[in-house]
Amino acid sequence: MRALVTVASKHGSTQGLARAVASGLRDRGFDVDQVAPEDVLDVGPYDVVVIGSAVYAGRWLRAAKDLVRRHSAALRWRDVWLFSSGPLGNPPVPAEEPVDVVTMLSESGARGHVLLAGALDPDGLRLAERLVVRAVKAPYGDFRDWTAVARWVDQIAGASSVKATMSPP
């Protein structure tokens, strides 16, 4: 099966999650392409499409939302999975779904969405971003849960394999 993994990442943390998802799918026998959302020209060649976005101020980044909107008709015929990255801390905060998720699920016909913890490195932030982080009291650190990512990849692979065996020849 062919899979596309595409994410909008501002500082690289979400890109790290995408690499783990792509690697996990490859380990489970998928032929995987990892492409930036703005570079995705066609989702037609893919059986599985994983779309992720970093979340800022409760919203997905524009590149991920634009990808879903550009390809919404074709995505409905694919096995689509969405993830958001952004909660920080232990336990991760905020635990709420991003504002855009309901719309992205509807427009893409995705099978599901998962909220994955992110990472925040002060060295990669501009002054204005550091001020916002301080104002909202967001913790610095890497809170990504690689075990949760692997479990989610297992879910994607398992569901996609079942779907493939049920498809007509």
Side-chain angles (χ1 to χ4, degrees), residues 6-82:
T6 181
V7 300
S9 182
K10 192 169 183 179
H11 294 290
S13 172
T14 307
Q15 192 62 247
L17 291 167
R19 284 191 297 273
V21 169
S23 176
L25 289 172
R26 281 188 196 99
D27 290 347
R28 289 158 182 85
F30 286 75
D31 178 16
V32 181
D33 291 332
Q34 191 174 343
V35 181
E38 56 274 11
D39 295 333
V40 174
L41 302 176
D42 182 13
V43 298
Y46 302 102
D47 305 296
V48 176
V49 179
V50 177
I51 304 168
S53 180
V55 176
Y56 288 88
R59 298 192 179 279
W60 269 29
L61 296 177
R62 179 179 303 244
K65 291 189 292 190
D66 288 349
L67 173 122
V68 170
R69 290 186 178 119
R70 274 193 328 270
H71 299 287
S72 62
L75 287 170
R76 293 180 187 282
W77 295 96
R78 305 284 167 291
D79 200 4
V80 179
W81 300 82
L82 307 178

Side-chain angles (χ1 to χ4, degrees), residues 108-120:
S108 68
R111 294 184 62 156
H113 170 264
V114 66
L115 185 61
L116 300 172
L120 185 60

Side-chain angles (χ1 to χ4, degrees), residues 4 12 23 51 71 93 119 129 133 139 150 154 159 163 165:
L4 169 67
S23 176
I51 304 168
H71 299 287
V93 176
E129 292 170 322
V133 167
D154 283 339
K163 186 176 178 181
T165 61

